[in-house]
Amino acid sequence: MPQQPVRIAPSILSADFARLGEEVRAIDAAGADYIHVDVMDGHFVPNLTIGPMVVKALRQHSAKVFDVHLMIAPVDPFLDAFAEAGSDIITVHAEAGPHLHRTLQRIKALGKKAGVSLNPATPAKMLDYVLEEVDLVLVMSVNPGFGGQSFIESQLRKIEALRKSIDKTGKTIDLQVDGGIDRTTAPRVIAAGADVLVAGTATFRGGSEAYAANIAALRGGA
Ligand code: DX5
Ligand code: ZN
C-alpha cells in the first residue's frame, strides 16, 4: 500500500528511567502515535535495557500502540513473554536468528503485529520472501545499541527500495526508521518513503514541556 500518514514513535530509551510511567503518560499526552520500547540483551547489541516485566508495568500508563523493538538473540524464547506483557507490535531483527519466517509466524499466532528490522549493513532484499508476512519493516539508520548516534545516509536508499517493494504488495505495511531522526533528517526519510519515525533524543530533549512541540516538529506540523 502507498505511504500512510506519518506517525511518531518516541523511543523511551531517552526517557528518565527513574520516572518511566510518568514519561510514557507525558509522550502519550504530547501526541505520540506509538510508544517505542527498545529491548537490548548485551549480546545481540552491546547494551542492556529492559525486559517484559517493565513493558507490563508500563502498559497501564498508555493505551497507545506499544511498539516493542527486540534487539535480542535468541529471540524466540521471549516472544510469548513480550506478547503477554501487552506488546501490540513485536519487531525482531532479521539478523537475530536462522528462522525468521518461523519467528514471524509465531508472533502472528500470538495475536500480535509482526515487524522485522534490518541493521544498516543488511540489504533490503533480505526481506524478499517474507515481506508479505509482516505488518512493519524497520530500517535501522544507526547501528543498534544506543540512542544519540548520527544518521547513516546510505539508509535513505534502503528506505526508497523498501517503499517500492511495499507498494507492490498492495498491503498495509508500516515503513519505520529508527536512529538519528531529528528535525533535519525527518523530512528526508519521509521523502524517501518512511511513514513511522522513531525518535529518542529528538523527542525527549528540553523536558516534558517540550515534548508536544518536539513531536509536532518531527511530524512536519511545526
Ligand atoms: C537504537 C534504538 C533506537 C534509539 C534511537 O538501538 O533502537 O530506538 O533509541 O535513539 P535516537 O533517536 O536518539 O537516535
Ligand atoms: Zn528502536
Side-chain angles (χ1 to χ4, degrees), residues 9-14 36-40 45 47 69 71 93 117 138 140-151 177-182 198-203 205:
S11 163
I12 60 169
L13 192 61
S14 298
H36 186 85
V37 183
D38 286 308
V39 177
M40 304 185 185
V45 291
N47 197 4
H69 178 193
M71 288 161 273
H93 269 262
S117 179
L138 167 53
M140 286 306 303
S141 42
V142 297
N143 288 294
F146 304 95
Q149 303 181 80
S150 299
F151 183 82
V177 59
D178 183 1
I181 299 301
D182 58 22
V198 177
T201 308
T203 299
R205 65 161 53 102

Side-chain angles (χ1 to χ4, degrees), residues 57-96:
L58 291 175
R59 187 66 268 197
Q60 63 192 298
H61 292 279
S62 173
K64 298 262 168 96
V65 171
F66 266 48
D67 167 33
V68 177
H69 178 193
L70 299 181
M71 288 161 273
I72 64 177
V75 65
D76 291 359
F78 298 98
L79 296 175
D80 291 51
F82 281 102
E84 281 159 23
S87 308
D88 296 301
I89 303 169
I90 298 180
T91 297
V92 299
H93 269 262
E95 308 86 357

Side-chain angles (χ1 to χ4, degrees), residues 131-216:
L131 193 58
E132 306 230 345
E133 312 283 336
V134 306
D135 301 290
L136 178 150
V137 174
L138 167 53
V139 174
M140 286 306 303
S141 42
V142 297
N143 288 294
F146 304 95
Q149 303 181 80
S150 299
F151 183 82
I152 299 172
E153 292 283 328
S154 58
Q155 302 309 301
L156 287 167
R157 296 203 307 276
K158 194 188 292 181
I159 295 166
E160 285 166 5
L162 285 163
R163 177 78 268 148
K164 286 189 188 131
S165 308
I166 288 171
D167 289 355
K168 266 188 225 155
T169 68
K171 300 194 167 183
T172 304
I173 301 171
D174 288 354
L175 180 49
Q176 185 176 62
V177 59
D178 183 1
I181 299 301
D182 58 22
R183 291 171 198 219
T184 308
T185 51
R188 300 179 68 211
V189 299
I190 293 167
D195 51 21
V196 184
L197 276 48
V198 177
T201 308
T203 299
F204 286 94
R205 65 161 53 102
S208 56
E209 306 287 285
Y211 295 169
N214 290 345
I215 289 170

